[in-house]
Amino acid sequence: MTFCRFIRSNIKNWLFVACCNKVKCFVLLILFILSVLVFYKFNVDLAPYFSKQNRFDELQTLVITLCGAMLVLTAIAASFIMFAMQVNVERMPYGLFKKFSSDIRLLLYFFFTFITAIVIGVLPIIFNISSVTIIVLGVGWSLGLIVTLVFLAYKRALKLICPTEQLLILVAHTKNHLNYWSKAAERYKSLLVKQSKTAKNRDEISSPNYDIARFEYFNQFPQWTHKAAQAMQYAFSLAKYHARQGDHESVQAALQAVVDINSEYIIAKGKTFFPYSPLDPSLSADVLINEMLESLRKYIQIGVSRRDEQQITLSFNAIHDLCLQYLKIDYSTIYPVITHANSAAAYLTSAIESIIPHKMTDVVMEGIRLIKKIASSMVEHGNVDAIATLSEKISIFSCANAIEQNTRPITYTGVKELAGLTMDVLNSKAEDVKFTLKEIRKDVDLIAKFILELEGSYLLDHSYTLSYYYSVTSNDSLSCWMTQLAKALLTVKADDANGCRLVRHIAQWGDRLYQTEKELLLLAIAKNSLLTFDIIHWVVQMTIIFLAISTAPCCSDYHCEELRKHARWLINVFSWIPDNQEAICLVENYQLTEQLFKAAFEAHKYGRADVSFEVRELLLSWAFKGGKYQEKREILEKSCYGLACLNIILELDDSVLLDEIAQHINNNDSISIEIRQHASGALKRKTEEIQQNGFSFSNIDNAAKQVDTKKLQILLTKLADVLFCIEK
């Protein structure tokens, strides 16, 4: 796919170059044909014309004058060389300056310009009047050639002083050098294979998993990487110079050159990389890669000392690109290994950590985004467990910047990236992602608890900071992505391997999810935080998602039971709500009664009657737990209204609900007579308002319109009578 995109993006350029080359060849051919025609047409007539009145002498004078003018153009071509030298000497190390100051092409342009100018002056001396046509054509072609060479020298001089072109030339030379050594290693390998006499020896020399011959050859010639190391140091020198000048476009080109050189080095080295081994760590150490990462670290520190945020950001992007290159390394192992990619990622996290005290908010935010991109690439590569450390770093950086208001956007970014990383892991092709998902969930929980524990009125927007994970009203959040995922799974066939794997991952993610959400809910209630609203709605939403996915055709019986268990345990976190007036009022203000009814209704919708009955019991318990407080006495009437709707939806006998309500009244002395009488009157009014209600945001009101109105009115009347009864 990448190659196809490359072809599509460059096809126009290739066609343009091909057309230009064809046009040039066509023009030269036309000029050559015209020259031949002129020679045969005017060769006889020109000699008599120039023999009269010393006209040939005048022609000689003209040609010599043109020769002098062309020598001046030659001097201009020489000035291009001096110009390139003067510009480069100020900004280049000596080795690179020597390379570009002795450019062969520019020197050849100057040499041929000078020789052609001399040829113009020599033509009248070599040929006589009988060959005047040859002189004229020779002068014409020489003039055209000189002008072309001067133009090419000018363009070449511009390339030699252009930082981007200089770096492209540097990368091209390095690529050629590495290709030379790679081909030499292949010849050495072929020689060993020819010398071996048995198939056993050939297998040892040319292993399909590891290139022993290439490794031995490179060990014999350790200097094979010197040119590449030197080229990278040249690129860093240019990056440092242009960073001081504020030319960040050239800085980006220099860092990209470093990435390109690493890419060519990885290709040239082939299957000679070793994964990390505690028995012999030196085998996995690559001198060139280590030196390059150290140079990047020092370069970032220079940017920090100058507070050059753009320079640091470009360096972060370079490390990210290097990680992607290192993920392509073939370690010749059965399981995917990312030793050098892990090293590069560690350099990135270390650099971000050193920048946090300097309050560079935008830089740290970009760094966190790049960490997430690296982690996502590792997931695609098959190393799911390796991202746990990166996820932990994101959470630490998010917590460290949550204290001050100016740096709090970093926390928001960290939560966003962790939510996206959760989805990446869920969609991965790995078989077991339970450990990784658990670690990411712990990291999000750490951020949430940390910001809830902070003091200060400016941190009342906990809901906004954690919105990418816990918001159910946003179209760009974890709950929205999970909802879309659940809808997609409901349409997947039973034998779809990807769908089955995705269901398994979701079941692994839901394992013990209730523990973190229970603790977070209780802490949010204790802190009187707006996050309580999000957690209540998020818990209900995830419960519904688990139940929906359990009905998917690709969901096995085992995972169906697992998802139902996760749904039941998750919805029961509401049974831990503290039994005090402040907590009850807070959660009811955030529509807990409505959400409990919604969970029971949706469970019945997806055919999970056992879960629906369990949530119904929770709603019944909540009716008397929260209804005993005078400030929230509508909890009792609203819960009874919802229970009446559920009684009809679940096709239960009226006596079941009436007996349960009566039993709770008899066993609960805390419900005052006034609250019961108020609820009784409200339920009687509901019997009259059911058919009159129009559009409503209430889940209970909307459900009441879908059931038998007559039955509901009768049941509500009976409930009102039971509540109004004073005798216990």
Side-chain angles (χ1 to χ4, degrees):
M1 293 298 294
T2 303
F3 179 74
C4 294
R5 286 196 295 269
F6 175 78
I7 293 294
R8 287 196 297 270
S9 62
N10 290 277
I11 189 67
K12 293 183 179 179
N13 294 333
W14 293 343
L15 289 174
F16 177 75
V17 171
C19 291
C20 289
N21 291 333
K22 290 182 179 180
V23 170
K24 291 176 183 177
C25 294
F26 180 74
V27 171
L28 287 175
L29 180 62
I30 294 297
L31 290 176
F32 178 76
I33 294 174
L34 289 176
S35 299
V36 174
L37 293 176
V38 167
F39 179 78
Y40 284 104
K41 179 70 175 176
F42 298 102
N43 187 36
V44 180
D45 300 331
L46 285 178
Y49 175 79
F50 281 101
S51 63
K52 298 178 181 179
Q53 301 177 0
N54 298 324
R55 289 177 179 173
F56 185 73
D57 295 336
E58 295 177 356
L59 178 62
Q60 286 180 320
T61 304
L62 176 61
V63 171
I64 293 172
T65 303
L66 289 174
C67 176
M70 294 304 101
L71 288 174
V72 173
L73 282 179
T74 304
I76 294 175
S79 68
F80 292 152
I81 299 176
M82 299 303 299
F83 172 68
M85 291 177 63
Q86 290 175 352
V87 173
N88 290 333
V89 72
E90 297 179 358
R91 61 186 182 188
M92 288 186 177
Y94 174 73
L96 195 59
F97 169 74
K98 183 178 179 181
K99 176 186 290 290
F100 286 104
S101 299
S102 57
D103 183 69
I104 298 298
R105 290 178 62 179
L106 186 57
L107 292 175
L108 287 176
Y109 290 151
F110 165 73
F111 174 75
F112 284 113
T113 303
F114 179 77
I115 294 299
T116 307
I118 297 299
V119 168
I120 292 176
V122 172
L123 282 175
I125 300 175
I126 297 177
F127 298 98
N128 54 26
I129 192 171
S130 61
S131 305
V132 67
T133 306
I134 296 176
I135 296 174
V136 172
L137 290 175
V139 170
W141 277 96
S142 298
L143 290 176
L145 181 60
I146 288 174
V147 172
T148 302
L149 288 173
V150 171
F151 177 72
L152 292 175
Y154 171 72
K155 291 183 65 177
R156 186 63 179 177
L158 288 181
K159 282 188 176 182
L160 291 177
I161 64 172
C162 175
T164 304
E165 295 293 338
Q166 290 173 348
L167 292 163
L168 290 176
I169 295 171
L170 182 65
V171 172
H173 288 174
T174 307
K175 179 180 179 181
N176 292 335
H177 177 77
L178 292 173
N179 286 341
Y180 168 80
W181 283 101
S182 179
K183 292 177 181 178
E186 286 296 322
R187 290 193 295 269
Y188 175 77
K189 177 180 174 180
S190 301
L191 181 62
L192 290 181
V193 172
K194 289 180 181 179
Q195 291 177 351
S196 62
K197 296 181 180 180
T198 64
K200 181 179 179 181
N201 291 335
R202 281 198 298 272
D203 291 339
E204 292 176 355
I205 293 170
S206 181
S207 172
N209 294 327
Y210 198 83
D211 201 338
I212 301 295
R214 182 179 289 259
F215 176 74
E216 291 178 351
Y217 181 79
F218 286 153
N219 276 347
Q220 293 175 10
F221 301 97
Q223 70 274 16
W224 80 279
T225 61
H226 289 179
K227 288 284 186 182
Q230 187 182 51
M232 285 195 293
Q233 292 305 318
Y234 287 160
F236 276 116
S237 296
L238 290 175
K240 293 174 185 177
Y241 173 82
H242 291 293
R244 291 193 299 269
Q245 304 300 317
D247 185 4
H248 291 102
E249 183 178 355
S250 298
V251 172
Q252 184 177 7
L255 295 176
Q256 183 60 44
V258 173
V259 176
D260 293 339
I261 292 171
N262 271 268
S263 176
E264 297 298 334
Y265 170 72
I266 292 170
I267 295 172
K269 195 170 181 181
K271 295 183 177 182
T272 60
F273 287 95
F274 284 93
Y276 175 78
S277 173
L279 299 177
D280 191 359
S282 61
L283 283 177
S284 64
D286 190 288
V287 177
L288 184 67
I289 291 177
N290 291 342
E291 288 181 355
M292 188 277 308
L293 290 174
E294 273 298 307
S295 298
L296 260 176
R297 182 188 65 80
K298 295 175 183 178
Y299 184 69
I300 292 173
Q301 292 304 314
I302 293 173
V304 174
S305 64
R306 297 176 53 248
R307 296 192 66 83
D308 190 337
E309 295 189 2
Q310 195 165 354
Q311 176 184 344
I312 302 171
T313 302
L314 291 174
S315 303
F316 285 174
N317 280 278
I319 298 178
H320 164 263
D321 294 341
L322 287 170
C323 279
L324 299 186
Q325 295 297 330
Y326 296 156
L327 286 173
K328 300 176 183 178
I329 294 177
D330 186 358
Y331 294 95
S332 304
T333 56
I334 299 175
Y335 300 102
V337 181
I338 52 172
T339 300
H340 296 90
N342 276 333
S343 298
Y347 270 89
L348 178 58
T349 55
S350 177
I352 297 173
E353 189 173 351
S354 67
I355 291 171
I356 289 177
H358 297 275
K359 310 299 182 185
M360 298 183 184
T361 303
D362 292 337
V363 176
V364 178
M365 289 170 63
E366 181 63 21
I368 289 177
R369 295 188 189 101
L370 292 175
I371 291 177
K372 187 265 178 181
K373 289 182 180 179
I374 292 172
S376 299
S377 300
M378 290 180 177
V379 170
E380 293 178 4
H381 189 263
N383 294 82
V384 178
D385 294 340
I387 71 170
T389 302
L390 298 180
S391 172
E392 182 182 10
K393 288 293 183 180
I394 292 177
S395 67
I396 292 174
F397 297 153
S398 300
C399 293
N401 291 277
I403 300 173
E404 296 186 11
Q405 188 173 5
N406 293 335
T407 58
R408 202 162 64 253
I410 297 174
T411 309
Y412 176 80
T413 302
V415 174
K416 174 183 177 181
E417 301 307 329
L418 288 176
L421 194 56
T422 300
M423 293 302 300
D424 290 339
V425 176
L426 287 174
N427 287 283
S428 68
K429 296 181 179 180
E431 293 299 322
D432 188 0
V433 296
K434 185 175 181 180
F435 168 76
T436 305
L437 290 172
K438 180 181 177 182
E439 292 300 311
I440 297 175
R441 196 169 67 221
K442 284 171 56 179
D443 295 330
V444 175
D445 187 57
L446 173 65
I447 299 173
K449 290 179 179 178
F450 184 84
I451 65 173
L452 283 171
E453 291 289 354
L454 289 175
E455 300 293 337
S457 59
Y458 64 90
L459 280 174
L460 290 178
D461 56 344
H462 302 149
S463 177
Y464 172 77
T465 306
L466 298 166
S467 60
Y468 266 102
Y469 201 90
Y470 283 108
S471 176
V472 295
T473 58
S474 173
N475 292 326
D476 193 16
S477 62
L478 180 64
S479 63
C480 178
W481 302 332
M482 290 291 292
T483 302
Q484 295 172 355
L485 200 60
K487 291 179 180 179
L489 286 173
L490 292 176
T491 62
V492 173
K493 295 181 180 179
D495 57 349
D496 188 273
N498 292 328
C500 295
R501 182 175 58 250
L502 191 53
V503 169
R504 181 170 63 252
H505 291 175
I506 294 174
Q508 291 173 351
W509 177 66
D511 185 43
R512 298 188 179 276
L513 180 62
Y514 71 93
Q515 289 183 341
T516 56
E517 304 315 313
K518 182 195 76 172
E519 296 172 1
L520 194 58
L521 175 63
L522 296 179
L523 182 59
I525 293 173
K527 297 295 181 179
N528 196 24
S529 172
L530 293 175
L531 185 62
T532 308
F533 171 85
D534 289 321
I535 297 177
I536 290 174
H537 288 73
W538 189 87
V539 166
V540 172
Q541 185 71 9
M542 289 303 159
T543 301
I544 295 171
I545 288 173
F546 288 153
L547 294 174
I549 295 175
S550 69
T551 64
C554 58
C555 183
S556 65
D557 293 339
Y558 172 77
H559 291 115
C560 176
E561 290 301 320
E562 285 290 302
L563 290 170
R564 291 167 67 181
K565 181 185 71 174
H566 299 336
R568 292 198 307 270
W569 289 13
L570 185 59
I571 197 66
N572 273 286
V573 302
F574 295 131
S575 64
W576 292 85
I577 294 175
D579 190 1
N580 60 72
Q581 184 170 342
E582 184 179 358
I584 296 295
C585 292
L586 178 66
V587 297
E588 184 56 27
N589 286 338
Y590 297 140
Q591 304 176 338
L592 178 59
T593 304
E594 289 279 349
Q595 292 302 307
L596 287 173
F597 176 84
K598 178 182 178 181
F601 180 80
E602 293 292 331
H604 175 265
K605 174 183 173 183
Y606 287 109
R608 302 307 178 193
D610 55 336
V611 181
S612 184
F613 277 105
E614 191 168 342
V615 180
R616 176 183 174 276
E617 292 296 326
L618 187 60
L619 178 59
L620 180 62
S621 174
W622 168 250
F624 290 91
K625 181 179 180 178
K628 62 187 176 183
Y629 295 103
Q630 291 287 343
E631 291 189 5
K632 282 297 176 184
R633 55 188 181 181
E634 69 273 9
I635 292 178
L636 181 59
E637 61 189 61
K638 186 183 293 185
S639 299
C640 290
Y641 184 34
L643 288 168
C645 293
L646 285 175
N647 210 66
I648 298 175
I649 292 171
L650 298 176
E651 299 179 352
L652 297 176
D653 190 80
D654 291 353
S655 60
V656 174
L657 178 60
L658 297 176
D659 292 342
E660 290 174 338
I661 295 294
Q663 184 178 359
H664 272 277
I665 292 176
N666 293 329
N667 296 335
N668 196 338
D669 295 330
S670 57
I671 296 289
S672 65
I673 297 175
E674 292 79 6
I675 294 176
R676 289 164 46 203
Q677 290 178 343
H678 181 274
S680 175
L683 290 177
K684 288 183 178 179
R685 288 192 297 272
K686 280 289 183 182
T687 59
E688 303 173 358
E689 298 172 358
I690 292 175
Q691 295 179 339
Q692 300 175 2
N693 289 337
F695 174 77
S696 175
F697 288 103
S698 170
N699 295 305
I700 302 176
D701 288 339
N702 292 328
K705 300 173 186 177
Q706 302 176 21
V707 300
D708 190 329
T709 305
K710 296 274 187 187
K711 290 183 178 179
L712 181 59
Q713 289 175 333
I714 294 172
L715 181 55
L716 288 177
T717 303
K718 294 179 180 179
L719 277 176
D721 294 338
V722 172
L723 291 174
F724 189 76
C725 180
I726 300 177
E727 296 293 334
K728 294 189 178 182

